[in-house]
Amino acid sequence: MRRAVLLTTACLAALALAHPALAQSAMSMGVYLWTNPAAEPVRTQFLSIAGTSAEVEIDGPEGSNAISRSATPTETALLKTAIEGQMKALTLTERPQPATPYVTVEWHFSTPTGYADGAVNYAPDKVPAAVLALQQAAFGATFAGGQ
C-alpha cells in the first residue's frame, strides 16, 4: 500500500513537471499507524488533491476503501495547513524513533516548477494538531491512542 501511494505521488509530480498544459499544484498527505515496523502499517489514511479533484484511500482492519471525488474547500485548506506545518517543522537534527505504536506522516506538494516532500514519525499523542484536524475532516477519525 505504502509503495503504491508513493508511486502515485511521484507520478503526479512528474506529470505536472513534464506537461505544462496539465500543470497545477498537487498535494497529498498519508498518515500511517505502525504497531510493528517490520510489517505493513495496520491503518492508513491518504488524501491527494490536484486542482479540485481528491483521491481518498483508507485501509485498516475493517477493509480498504478508495474513492475519487471533488475536493472540499475545507479539506483543501486543512491539507495546505498540515503540509505547511510539516514544512516549518523540518530540521536537520535527528529525532529519536518513537516506540510502537507510532504514526508516520508523509506529505508532498508540487507546482509546475518544483516539489517538496517528507516524512516524520510521531508517537500517537505527539501528532501535530493540524494533521489531526485533517484526519478528522477527510477521514472521519484519527489514530488517537495508537488505534
Side-chain angles (χ1 to χ4, degrees), residues 2 32-43 97-104 146:
R2 186 174 175 189
Y32 310 92
L33 176 64
W34 301 85
T35 57
N36 178 350
E40 291 291 315
V42 294
R43 292 188 182 277
Q97 172 65 27
T100 54
Y102 64 88
V103 175
T104 299

Side-chain angles (χ1 to χ4, degrees), residues 61-129:
E62 300 83 17
S64 297
N65 187 20
I67 59 169
S68 298
R69 59 172 172 71
S70 294
T72 70
T74 299
E75 287 172 331
T76 301
L78 288 170
L79 182 54
K80 284 180 181 179
T81 299
I83 290 173
E84 285 175 345
Q86 292 295 288
M87 288 178 167
K88 288 176 183 173
L90 285 174
T91 177
L92 296 177
T93 303
E94 187 174 340
R95 299 176 185 177
Q97 172 65 27
T100 54
Y102 64 88
V103 175
T104 299
V105 175
E106 291 183 341
W107 56 273
H108 172 87
F109 181 80
S110 61
T111 67
T113 58
Y115 72 94
D117 53 26
V120 178
N121 294 334
Y122 297 98
D125 64 342
K126 300 292 184 195
V127 175

